[in-house]
């Protein structure tokens, strides 16, 4: 088994996903995970790859999300540690199989929903991601009616697991998504 790369993650996801919005979400989470890797001094491409692949079973099994990750990824020769990280992003939501215990798993848990809020905010701004400020994002985060489907409780739980300030995680999402704004259409 070789370490998961972003190129390989894109190949694998394309085998199991057809919906464009899921590819956009995968790219947003990947971008945020790259910024989180920078924060932790970790392997950026590897974290981006895990972020990109995190919803590999969602389109085929939306009601059993995270329950089919192992069967899909083991067949692709993905390392068990990466499989567990991906399963862990559904901990307490869709599965209790793997609790997030590593920086990468906790980061994935925290940024998955948060990227939705950042994306929704960028889409309503004429300048999209350009010039997005943390202070403004925090205001949108507090407004539970804004991007209402993005669970603030899950985001807060992930941030608490990380032991980071909410603003630091939000800034990582902004920075990561800003760096990939063209790919994200933002």
């Amino acid at each position: 088994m070789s370490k998961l790369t972003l190129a390989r993650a894109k190949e694998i996801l394309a085998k199991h996903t057809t919906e464009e919005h899921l590819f956009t979400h995968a790219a947003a989470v990947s971008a945020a995970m790259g910024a989180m890797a920078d924060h932790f001094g970790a392997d950026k491409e590897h974290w981006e790859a895990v972020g990109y692949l995190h919803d590999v079973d969602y389109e085929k099994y939306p009601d059993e999300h995270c329950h089919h990750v192992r069967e899909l990824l083991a067949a692709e020769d993905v390392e068990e540690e990466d499989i567990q990280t991906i399963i862990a992003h559904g901990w307490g939501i869709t599965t209790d199989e793997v609790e997030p215990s590593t920086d990468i798993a906790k980061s994935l848990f925290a940024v998955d929903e948060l990227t939705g809020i950042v994306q929704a905010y960028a889409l309503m701004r004429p300048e999209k991601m350009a010039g997005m400020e943390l202070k403004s994002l925090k205001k949108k985060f507090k407004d539970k009616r804004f991007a209402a489907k993005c669970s603030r409780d899950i985001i807060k739980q992930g941030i608490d697991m990380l032991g980071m300030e909410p603003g630091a995680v939000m800034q990582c999402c902004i920075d990561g998504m800003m760096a990939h704004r063209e790919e994200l259409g933002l």
Side-chain angles (χ1 to χ4, degrees):
M1 273 185 235
S2 58
K3 184 167 255 181
L4 185 64
T5 64
L6 186 53
R8 183 73 178 119
K10 288 181 178 185
E11 286 175 20
I12 295 169
L13 190 65
K15 292 179 182 180
H16 304 284
T17 302
T18 61
E19 297 176 24
E20 195 57 42
H21 71 98
L22 294 175
F23 288 109
T24 301
H25 176 64
V29 173
S30 175
M33 287 297 287
M36 292 298 291
D38 285 345
H39 172 83
F40 285 104
D43 181 339
K44 184 174 184 169
E45 184 185 5
H46 180 241
W47 282 42
E48 287 174 337
V50 168
Y52 195 87
L53 205 48
H54 81 285
D55 279 346
V56 67
D57 71 345
Y58 184 79
E59 185 175 323
K60 289 182 181 177
Y61 306 102
D63 297 328
E64 298 174 1
H65 182 39
C66 296
H67 292 264
H68 297 272
V69 171
R70 182 170 278 105
E71 71 192 59
L72 296 178
L73 297 184
E76 297 288 349
D77 213 24
V78 173
E79 293 181 6
E80 177 62 22
E81 187 176 326
D82 292 338
I83 292 170
Q84 288 190 20
T85 296
I86 291 169
I87 292 170
H89 93 277
W91 182 71
I93 307 160
T94 61
T95 181
D96 290 324
E97 183 180 342
V98 180
E99 182 175 351
S101 60
T102 61
D103 289 338
I104 188 173
K106 292 173 187 177
S107 294
L108 182 58
F109 189 95
V111 305
D112 183 20
E113 296 278 316
L114 183 55
T115 59
I117 295 174
V118 175
Q119 182 177 10
Y121 183 40
L123 287 171
M124 69 174 281
R125 301 174 75 235
E127 61 278 7
K128 308 283 190 233
M129 286 300 302
M132 184 181 288
E133 294 182 2
L134 177 59
K135 182 179 176 182
S136 301
L137 179 61
K138 283 182 174 182
K139 283 184 185 177
K140 290 296 180 189
F141 184 84
K142 288 179 184 175
D143 180 357
K144 293 187 185 334
R145 294 170 300 170
F146 180 78
K149 291 183 180 180
C150 298
S151 172
R152 273 70 169 168
D153 291 338
I154 291 171
I155 296 165
K156 289 175 185 173
Q157 185 181 0
I159 291 170
D160 288 347
M161 282 186 231
L162 285 165
M164 292 173 65
E165 289 296 318
V169 178
M170 290 178 184
Q171 190 64 57
C172 281
C173 280
I174 291 170
D175 293 346
M177 291 173 70
M178 179 68 178
H180 292 268
R181 67 187 174 277
E182 289 179 20
E183 175 186 0
L184 297 171
L186 303 173

